[in-house]
Amino acid sequence: MRRKIIAANWKMNQTVADTESFLEDFRLEVEDVAGVDIVIAPPFTALAKLSELLGGSQKIRTAAQNMYYETSGAFTGEISAAMLRELYVKYVILGHSERRQIFGESDALINKKVITALESELRPILCVGETIEEREAGREREVLETQLRGSLAGVTAEQLVETVIAYEPVWAIGTGRTASTAQAQDCHAHVRAVLAELTDEATADKVRIQYGGSVKPGNAADLLSQPDIDGALVGGASLDPRSFAEIVRAGARE
Ligand code: PGA
């Protein structure tokens, strides 16, 4: 039985002050919620405050939205794994489609980051997903396989269990257009089959695969009830404490 994991990806939103007021409201909303992993990925600037406010909470964990694979040095604007660990960060989102598309990240680069994260005891949330052109050409399975094989090269079975995969069809991100539950389940099952090829079935069965792309309180329960959907990576709807809490509650129920 895989425990559901619901993560907020705030992207380039929320100041330190916004983070404080969000957490105050959100904590009240999820006071009675149990049996689900809750993760919040604020911008780097709010990580320290979020960790401080959470005070080592097991219930809500902190994630970064990116990091660099080198340990230190002349890499202006970058953040290392050790810097995140110092702030009690537990997860790191890697290979988000905005990083791939806007900042030109390749599977080879993402792979280096995944390896460094795992070696630094940070759990990667590795994002994969096809564009609209790729889906219309019927290439989504092939694209997912290429991204998974490239980004997970050299990852052991033991490490894969620590990794979360986020399937995020690019055409569903921030567009209000969600994949149907059938489309999502189909891709999740395919992702799991590729993970089994990379390791073995028992390992692939343990890996949590989140769905991302316009997840909202209104569609979360349906998506999360699918056999291979083990959580959600939520952008827009995670900025509001009430709607994010509703999605978390759906995760606890399903
Ligand atoms: P969205 O973003 O929920 O706003 O579509 C999801 C994501 O990019 O992780």
Side-chain angles (χ1 to χ4, degrees), residues 193-226:
V194 174
L195 299 181
E197 276 175 31
L198 290 173
T199 54
D200 55 83
E201 244 169 70
T203 301
D205 268 346
K206 291 187 195 138
V207 179
R208 294 182 294 179
I209 308 173
Q210 295 177 312
Y211 171 79
S214 298
V215 176
K216 293 180 209 70
N219 59 25
D222 263 0
L223 288 160
L224 291 165
S225 68
Q226 298 299 305

Side-chain angles (χ1 to χ4, degrees), residues 9 11 96-98 168 172-176 212-215 233-237:
N9 174 13
K11 311 191 178 186
H96 189 278
S97 64
E98 285 146 22
E168 299 202 303
I173 295 177
T175 57
S214 298
V215 176
L233 182 56
V234 189

Side-chain angles (χ1 to χ4, degrees), residues 128 144 148 165 167 186-196 204 209:
V128 293
L144 291 174
L148 288 166
I165 309 293
Y167 167 61
D186 184 59
C187 283
H188 279 238
H190 178 62
V191 167
R192 201 175 303 286
V194 174
L195 299 181
I209 308 173

Side-chain angles (χ1 to χ4, degrees), residues 95-97 100-101 105-108 110-111 114 126-131 134 140-153 165-170 191 194-195 198:
H96 189 278
S97 64
R100 292 175 187 264
Q101 296 197 323
E105 293 198 6
S106 64
D107 287 325
I110 296 160
N111 180 233
V114 166
L126 169 67
C127 303
V128 293
E130 80 285 0
T131 62
E134 289 162 344
E140 66 272 14
R141 286 168 171 256
E142 169 198 334
V143 168
L144 291 174
E145 177 156 1
T146 303
Q147 290 177 342
L148 288 166
R149 286 187 181 276
S151 309
L152 292 170
I165 309 293
Y167 167 61
E168 299 202 303
V170 178
V191 167
V194 174
L195 299 181
L198 290 173

Side-chain angles (χ1 to χ4, degrees), residues 98-131:
E98 285 146 22
R99 301 293 322 168
R100 292 175 187 264
Q101 296 197 323
I102 306 170
F103 303 100
E105 293 198 6
S106 64
D107 287 325
L109 173 69
I110 296 160
N111 180 233
K112 288 184 182 160
K113 296 183 179 194
V114 166
I115 299 284
T116 299
L118 288 164
E119 285 173 353
S120 312
E121 289 177 39
L122 283 166
R123 296 179 173 207
I125 297 179
L126 169 67
C127 303
V128 293
E130 80 285 0
T131 62

